[in-house]
Amino acid sequence: MAEAYTRAWLNYGPAGRSENTEYFRTILCGNQENPVLKNAIEEIKTGAGGMYSLSPQWAAAKPEKGGYIELAVNADLDTAEEGYTIKTDDRRVLISGKREIGVLYGAFHVLRLAATKKSLAGLDIKKQPSFRWRLLNHWDTFAPPAIRDNSDSSALAGSLFFENHGIICNDRTRDYCRMLASVGINGLAMHNVNVYNDALDMLLPRFYAEMRALSTLFESYGIGMLISLNFASPVLIGGLETADPRNERVQAWWKETMDRLYANVPNIAGFVVKADSEGVQGPFDYGRTQADGANLIARAIKPHGGLVFWRCFVYNSTQDWRDTETDRAKSGFDNFHPLDGKFDDNVILQIKNGPQDFQIREPVHPLFGTMEHTHEMLEFQLLQEYTGGATHVCWLIPEFKEVLDFNTYALGKDNTVADVVGGKTFKDYEKSGVVAVANANSSSTWCGHDIHCANLYGYGRLLFDASLTAEEIARDWIVQTLSDHPQVVKNLLHILLTSRTTYEKYNAPLGLGWLCNNVVHYGPGPDVYEYDRWGTYHRANWEAIGIDRTSRGTAYTLEYNEPNRSTFDNIDTCPQELLLFFYRLRYDYVLKSGKNVLQHIYDTHFEGVEDVEVFLKEWDALEGLVPEDFFKRVQQKFKNQLAHSKEWRDIINTYFYRRTGIKDAGGRKIYD
Ligand code: GCV
């Protein structure tokens, strides 16, 4: 564990004395024993101390004089369960929650307004979350996989939750919960979805005490505990010779194991399952369907109100590169779509945003909006596994918004992904939601790069209020974390809002993806995946590149509802940024920009590096305007990003130059 760590966006730096100061004199709350309300009171005290050097007093009755913040639970509030209102009258800011958690969210809202220097006078706000479940899946492990624990790629660096084969619950865990609650995250799985060794025991008495301590802490911040489990547990830890979902002893084992777990650990929201995926066992091993597998767990936990988050990342990971018939992109749809209506009501399918694996540009997964009788949840990745590790700034919120705004045309009408996973299209709000692979780890900056915290922050804010713009979210993060100095806001806004496009320029042209190294998924390796077993081939030769996924090729396009199907199936209407995902194109194919494919690749790779040069300059201009240690850390990161973007540029450009023998039209340096 890192010994010291930053306070990220909860640093509550001096907000200057303002009209807001007065309100922070007293906190009126009828019940300071409730753990959630207690956390709200503590948070306001911390905020008032940091921002105004005040130590507000708690009071059970209205103070005689002076400003105050009142916290109240009001079950009649006309909002969803986690909703709240904020109203300012005269000398009082009244925060009302339908339940205690709404009060806590409201308290964080008020603190955010103060920290971003907005006035608390005259407020009349009503809020409720856009999605019921706003989750994180940590991919932490009891012992970090050494091969991935490197400071540049660091996608899976040291864990927040595990150390020396044990589970951690300490002050830092509490601070993490504060951060999550401040942006409305309400559920969290600690362990990687690949569950082996010690992690199998998270269902067993060995860890009850630690799990109880953690889940109680989580509960006081409105965070439900999720547990990742291994489908083969009855064999691996249960002493049975099978994990067949139709076997009665297996069913009894799951029921008993879950009954005992629920009796000993409070606040379990559900279980995350990766099955039949990348070597992990699942129902296919017994000739059963994914629905048989999911329902097995669902029935065992139904009496406890638990949910199964069943992942759809099921594909053949032992493909032969010579096989041109199998298209991995189709596997999610092919395995799950025929099962629509077969899943129990407490099963939610957890579907990655795209059909492959968190590449910087993928089309939206065709399962969204095509399973009318099934609860669907969207899975994003905050962990920058493919998007630059702990080095490259790649702010993902614009991408997340694009995905949420994608029109699935479910039921033949306008229905965005946000509608589908928000429970508006087919199923109810209670089983709706979004999950992201988490990016915080044991590093002192939480995410291995100070600016990567903007991804975690932005994710939570967006899920709580999907109507926020990327710019509004970015601005709040900048001011809360650093400063409202116009130069700081301007430069960082530019960096954040354009960083995804920049990364895409040198990472993967036109939706191609997979030009990276294996395992760490960091850095250029254009042929690394080409002859491997993972089904992710670009098949570049001397004249063409890409896979034909149209109706003339693998027929992936047919998995979408109309009119998306036709849009993708026609090269003239297919979005340009996805052309190499959907089509096999000659390098001299001319894009709408007037450039051919090869020149587009060369140009974007040169441009990407130039963009990073601008980022570095913009950052350098902030010296003296942001805290020095923060400034230095980030400056070094930008220097590393610049060097590494050059690596991307030169390796990818040389790769295609060697394939084609065609020089850059601009005469720029491409190595032979
Ligand atoms: C946790 C990718 C990652 C794996 C990950 C897998 C998944 O393949 O590289 O580490 O496994 O996705 O989402 O299950």
Side-chain angles (χ1 to χ4, degrees), residues 176-195:
Y176 186 52
C177 291
R178 290 174 51 227
M179 287 164 65
L180 299 188
S182 77
V183 293
I185 303 285
N186 69 354
L188 178 152
M190 298 174 288
H191 197 274
N192 194 299
V193 287
N194 295 314
V195 178

Side-chain angles (χ1 to χ4, degrees), residues 550-566:
T550 67
S551 53
R552 280 92 49 203
T554 70
Y556 165 83
T557 48
L558 303 184
E559 297 182 343
Y560 288 91
N561 291 326
E562 282 291 16
N564 289 333
R565 187 186 299 172
S566 305

Side-chain angles (χ1 to χ4, degrees), residues 236-249:
L236 300 173
I237 50 172
L240 302 186
E241 61 300 329
T242 177
D244 182 350
R246 297 269 175 94
N247 181 298
E248 282 176 11
R249 289 180 62 215

Side-chain angles (χ1 to χ4, degrees), residues 139 148 192 194 274 278 311 313 352 357 385 521:
W139 281 0
R148 292 192 170 183
N192 194 299
N194 295 314
K274 170 175 179 173
E278 302 186 327
R311 297 178 83 235
F313 190 56
K352 291 195 184 193
D357 191 15
E385 180 183 3
H521 296 151

Side-chain angles (χ1 to χ4, degrees), residues 409-598:
Y409 296 104
L411 303 174
K413 307 193 278 240
D414 287 341
N415 266 306
T416 62
V417 171
D419 292 333
V420 172
V421 303
K424 291 189 187 145
T425 308
F426 310 128
K427 289 285 196 168
D428 55 294
Y429 176 80
E430 272 309 302
K431 309 267 167 57
S432 76
V434 182
V435 55
V437 181
N439 62 347
N441 55 42
S442 62
S443 98
S444 57
T445 55
W446 292 100
C447 303
H449 186 319
D450 293 87
I451 293 185
H452 286 10
C453 292
N455 273 328
L456 177 56
Y457 176 90
Y459 169 71
R461 293 290 310 278
L462 180 65
L463 296 199
F464 205 90
D465 183 354
S467 72
L468 289 173
T469 65
E471 182 168 339
E472 284 167 326
I473 296 172
R475 189 179 293 273
D476 278 354
W477 178 78
I478 295 165
V479 180
Q480 265 189 278
T481 307
L482 288 168
S483 157
D484 67 342
H485 189 287
Q487 193 69 45
V488 176
V489 175
K490 179 167 177 272
N491 290 14
L492 262 171
L493 265 186
H494 177 254
I495 292 171
L496 288 176
L497 291 171
T498 59
S499 57
R500 183 254 184 146
T501 312
T502 292
Y503 186 75
E504 182 178 12
K505 284 181 186 171
Y506 53 81
N507 175 266
L510 303 166
L512 193 67
W514 302 106
L515 298 176
C516 60
N517 287 307
N518 199 345
V519 186
V520 284
H521 296 151
Y522 182 75
D527 257 349
V528 171
Y529 269 94
E530 217 34 38
Y531 308 102
D532 217 329
R533 64 189 175 94
W534 302 99
T536 48
Y537 314 112
H538 55 64
R539 304 195 190 277
N541 66 14
W542 62 275
E543 71 168 353
I545 182 166
I547 310 280
D548 182 356
R549 294 196 162 96
T550 67
S551 53
R552 280 92 49 203
T554 70
Y556 165 83
T557 48
L558 303 184
E559 297 182 343
Y560 288 91
N561 291 326
E562 282 291 16
N564 289 333
R565 187 186 299 172
S566 305
T567 304
F568 293 139
D569 212 45
N570 177 344
I571 197 161
D572 293 327
T573 52
C574 181
Q576 295 282 290
E577 66 275 12
L578 285 168
L579 273 193
L580 286 181
F581 178 89
F582 283 105
Y583 292 86
R584 179 163 183 80
L585 296 178
R586 288 172 55 100
Y587 295 110
D588 59 6
Y589 176 84
V590 179
L591 304 169
K592 288 194 176 140
S593 65
K595 293 176 187 174
N596 66 31
V597 168
L598 183 68

